[in-house]
Structure formats: C-alpha cells, structure tokens
Amino acid sequence: DTITAVIYAPRQFTPAMNGIIDTITPSEDSIKAANAVLYGETQPESENAVYFWGCYVDKSSWMWTRTMTGQIGNHCFGK
C-alpha cells in the first residue's frame, strides 16, 4: 500500500534485499527523477514498461526474455 512497502517487498529490488539502499544518500538527480515519476511524468523509453534492469545484466538472465521498450543510459526497460 506504500512506496516503501513495494521497495522492501521480498525479491523486488536487489539494493533493498542486500541492504545497500540504506547506506547510500540519493543524489539530487535521483530525487528529481523519483518525484517526476510520482507526479506522472514519463520518458518515451520507459512508457508501458513493467520492468527495468541494468543493461549490463548477463544476457542469460530472464530479464532479457522481456520485450524491451527502451533504454535510458545503462537502464533497460521492458514488458
């Protein structure tokens, strides 16, 4: 029911699972991006995406079985 509950839900996000998320202060750009999403702003590359992952993830990962909708920097988006 909350953003925090989603982030810390089991097996949702690796940084939450391994605790790294609690040791890093978000950058100003990260905060701006999060607020943009909260207020409904999207980028064409991420529209209709259900998943995102680091584009460096091993090509044998199940993530690469998803249909890519776009890429921003080193982040791939898919559905």
Side-chain angles (χ1 to χ4, degrees), residues 21-45:
I21 195 171
D22 298 317
T23 66
I24 298 172
T25 302
S27 68
E28 199 62 36
D29 282 343
S30 296
I31 293 169
K32 286 179 185 176
N35 282 323
V37 171
L38 285 172
Y39 292 107
E41 297 175 32
T42 62
Q43 297 295 315
E45 298 86 353

Side-chain angles (χ1 to χ4, degrees), residues 10-78:
R11 303 185 66 178
Q12 282 296 326
F13 298 100
T14 301
M17 288 176 18
N18 64 21
I20 289 175
I21 195 171
D22 298 317
T23 66
I24 298 172
T25 302
S27 68
E28 199 62 36
D29 282 343
S30 296
I31 293 169
K32 286 179 185 176
N35 282 323
V37 171
L38 285 172
Y39 292 107
E41 297 175 32
T42 62
Q43 297 295 315
E45 298 86 353
S46 64
E47 281 189 32
N48 300 313
V50 179
Y51 306 101
F52 75 93
W53 63 96
C55 297
Y56 52 82
V57 169
D58 190 317
K59 296 292 184 190
S60 65
S61 168
W62 74 272
M63 294 306 300
W64 291 104
T65 65
R66 308 294 91 197
T67 301
M68 278 195 57
T69 59
Q71 180 176 340
I72 300 174
N74 286 327
H75 292 87
C76 291
F77 296 85

